[in-house]
Amino acid sequence: MKKVYKAHILFTKERDRFEVLENGYIAVDADGCVVGVSADLASLGDEPSEVVDFGDRLLIPAMNDLHVHASQYRNMGVAMDLELLPWLQNYTFPEEMKYADTAYAERMYRRFVRDLWRVGTMRACVFATIHTESTRLLMHLFQEAGMGALVGKVDMNRNCPDELKETVEEMVGGYEELIAEFSQPSTVNGRISTPLVRPIITPRFIPSCTPEMLRACGELAAKYGLPVQSHLSENKDEIAWVQALEPESSCYGDAYNRYGLFGQSPTVMAHCIYTQGEELELMKRNDVMVVHCPTSNLNLSSGIAPIRHFLDEGLRVGLGSDISGGHNLSIFRVLFDAIQVSKFLYQRNNTVAFLSLSEAFWLATKSAGSFFGKVGSFEPGYEFDALVIDDSELNHEQYTLLERMERYIYLGDDRQIVHRFCRGKEIMEPALSAQM
Ligand SMILES: [Zn+2]
């Protein structure tokens, strides 16, 4: 039975413009997929089981965060004077060690999932820690919430404190437990549906994994058909370090590639600030997706990724909050930062156009969503991941719908998000404790 939602509908089918339907209708089937979108209810076919009218509100695709460290959520907003490598040693690793304690992990992860919900992110690629038990717990919390997540048990066995090291066998064993528990597709109405919450192979980055561990990660991804996430070309010291550790590799990306971790299965790489030449060609050839994390890149003084250039080259790009290198969990804020840093590049070299609002919105929705399947648009066949925005407190009178969208992105926050949907289901606020 299909359900129809009525509101002012905005989404980006193409990156250079918004589709705008004033008082439009979206029909969603029982599997949570969009079957039609139109300004006219009659054109959507058979009588729906229910029409939900959101009145003068905006209905837009939900946000997707392609790079976020759940285990660093508590560290948001500290140590912003440090660059990547000292920041990892002095703040990140000590915090991640605490996740050996599942009671601590539960407190922090419940807050993380609740807040991701709050800011309107319905799908995320998440880094947990090396700990299997607390990673399992985080995956259960996403399942309980009904939100989509690819969750990585972070792999490390060198250049980090002993408490964050594990053997290759322990890494493989931990993953296999999570794979057994979370990778089974379910059948909904006779249709095979991929689980909303799944593991993703997550070598932290080349410096924290020995060749044996990297090889084992590549083998796991191939054996179980799992996606891969990691960090790439974020910082110049990091790139020099990778070159010293992997002298046979022609570039940082090639170091992953040699272990089967660079597009052999669907792969997202965060940052890519200094990606060029052979690395860029390899990403294109292997369809490795760039995760642009402008907020984090500013905070850690890492640099500015040339996103316009990547788009012109045909690379796939999404956005990431990169908590806690980034200090804001909202992808709306990251989207806005992506526009601002692109304007800085434009000022420095005005042969390269800055990102427009529709392009940045498209990066956060349809482009990023493609990593999860058909997610991030309202075209027929897409999973209905959506937000309902009540911008009446933002003085919206007499603005066009496009201007209202722009003003929400620049001026709004989670207080204006009044409904959230993931794969067709309305998602209610996740509980902060098991008793609630
Ligand atoms: Zn990161």
Side-chain angles (χ1 to χ4, degrees):
M1 278 299 249
K2 71 175 193 240
K3 213 165 167 173
V4 167
Y5 298 96
K6 176 174 182 282
H8 304 311
I9 297 164
L10 294 105
F11 62 106
T12 44
K13 189 170 153 189
E14 310 292 340
R15 75 178 204 230
D16 59 352
R17 68 190 154 84
F18 280 93
E19 308 293 318
V20 182
L21 286 94
E22 189 170 358
N23 294 312
Y25 298 88
I26 293 184
V28 177
D29 67 16
D31 298 340
C33 287
V34 175
V35 286
V37 53
S38 171
D40 160 36
L41 181 60
S43 73
L44 291 175
D46 321 335
E47 189 81 359
S49 59
E50 189 184 352
V51 179
V52 181
D53 188 350
F54 292 124
D56 189 36
R57 292 163 171 173
L58 310 176
L59 179 60
I60 64 174
M63 296 291 110
N64 302 293
D65 188 341
L66 288 193
H67 187 77
V68 57
H69 295 259
S71 52
Q72 294 172 26
Y73 189 53
R74 202 187 67 95
N75 270 1
M76 246 187 349
V78 288
M80 298 277 92
D81 286 345
L82 298 179
E83 291 195 30
L84 177 67
L85 302 177
W87 174 83
L88 279 174
Q89 288 298 339
N90 296 312
Y91 282 87
T92 310
F93 291 156
E95 178 64 16
E96 291 192 12
M97 283 181 210
K98 298 179 189 164
Y99 286 76
D101 171 2
T102 48
Y104 181 80
E106 177 163 3
R107 276 203 312 282
M108 295 303 141
Y109 282 159
R110 279 191 180 274
R111 190 165 286 275
F112 171 75
V113 173
R114 195 279 309 264
D115 289 354
L116 210 57
W117 170 88
R118 196 168 53 79
V119 297
T121 297
M122 290 294 118
R123 312 254 181 168
C125 289
V126 182
F127 282 59
T129 57
I130 65 158
H131 311 101
T132 306
E133 276 319 304
S134 55
T135 304
R136 183 202 310 275
L137 186 110
L138 176 60
M139 296 176 83
H140 277 298
L141 293 177
F142 273 113
Q143 274 189 335
E144 219 175 277
M147 291 152 63
L150 294 168
V151 180
K153 188 183 109 56
V154 176
D155 309 321
M156 286 192 275
N157 66 347
R158 67 174 171 185
N159 295 315
C160 62
D162 286 344
E163 292 90 331
L164 289 179
K165 282 180 188 153
E166 58 180 350
T167 64
V168 172
E169 294 69 36
E170 284 165 343
M171 184 278 285
V172 172
Y175 259 104
E176 286 187 329
E177 278 181 37
L178 297 175
I179 291 164
E181 190 170 344
F182 292 95
S183 296
Q184 304 311 320
S186 50
T187 313
V188 182
N189 299 333
R191 225 160 68 178
I192 306 271
S193 141
T194 352
L196 271 172
V197 181
R198 278 192 305 149
I200 179 168
I201 302 296
T202 308
R204 176 174 219 115
F205 68 153
I206 296 281
S208 59
C209 302
T210 60
E212 296 69 39
M213 183 160 274
L214 291 166
R215 197 166 300 117
C217 286
E219 285 166 6
L220 270 178
K223 182 172 174 190
Y224 296 102
L226 289 177
V228 172
Q229 63 178 353
S230 195
H231 299 90
L232 180 69
S233 298
E234 174 176 5
N235 168 295
K236 287 181 178 170
D237 292 343
E238 172 210 16
I239 295 169
W241 194 12
V242 170
Q243 188 59 55
L245 290 168
E246 292 284 325
E248 294 96 84
S249 297
S250 56
C251 57
Y252 193 161
D254 185 44
Y256 289 114
N257 193 44
R258 292 171 62 241
Y259 298 107
L261 294 164
F262 210 60
Q264 287 76 9
S265 59
T267 301
V268 274
M269 286 285 163
H271 306 295
C272 310
I273 297 169
Y274 299 99
T275 294
Q276 54 178 329
E278 197 178 334
E279 186 163 285
L280 195 149
E281 289 307 314
L282 196 55
M283 290 188 85
K284 250 172 32 182
R285 216 171 30 245
N286 292 5
D287 195 22
V288 174
M289 192 160 181
V290 173
V291 189
H292 183 34
C293 306
T295 320
S296 165
N297 297 342
L298 287 173
N299 285 338
L300 299 181
S301 304
S302 303
I304 299 178
I307 297 306
R308 165 71 59 204
H309 176 57
F310 292 160
L311 292 175
D312 289 347
E313 288 285 337
L315 285 182
R316 286 162 74 213
V317 181
L319 298 179
S321 65
D322 193 22
I323 301 304
S324 65
H327 64 283
N328 200 321
L329 191 60
S330 168
I331 290 294
F332 286 106
R333 295 277 68 78
V334 174
L335 181 169
F336 162 92
D337 288 344
I339 295 174
Q340 292 210 322
V341 298
S342 78
K343 287 180 175 169
F344 179 77
L345 286 185
Y346 167 70
Q347 283 164 356
R348 241 182 11 188
N349 171 13
N350 59 20
T351 55
V352 182
F354 56 78
L355 293 174
S356 67
L357 186 76
S358 71
E359 285 177 313
F361 189 84
W362 175 85
L363 289 177
T365 55
K366 187 171 175 180
S367 185
S370 69
F371 198 66
F372 303 100
K374 290 195 104 179
V375 170
S377 180
F378 290 151
E379 294 156 71
Y382 272 75
E383 296 183 19
F384 185 66
D385 282 22
L387 305 176
V388 179
I389 309 289
D390 180 350
D391 61 340
S392 53
E393 283 298 311
L394 300 178
N395 231 347
H396 70 331
E397 249 175 77
Q398 296 180 19
Y399 282 111
T400 65
L401 290 175
L402 257 184
E403 288 165 341
R404 283 173 58 182
M405 181 78 250
E406 181 172 19
R407 291 180 85 253
Y408 172 69
I409 289 170
Y410 276 82
L411 311 177
D413 57 42
D414 55 279
R415 286 171 298 181
Q416 287 87 40
I417 306 177
V418 291
H419 297 279
R420 297 147 176 89
F421 294 86
C422 183
R423 200 178 262 177
K425 265 184 57 189
E426 177 153 15
I427 307 299
M428 305 317 270
E429 181 169 350
L432 280 182
S433 73
Q435 292 77 34
M436 274 172 76

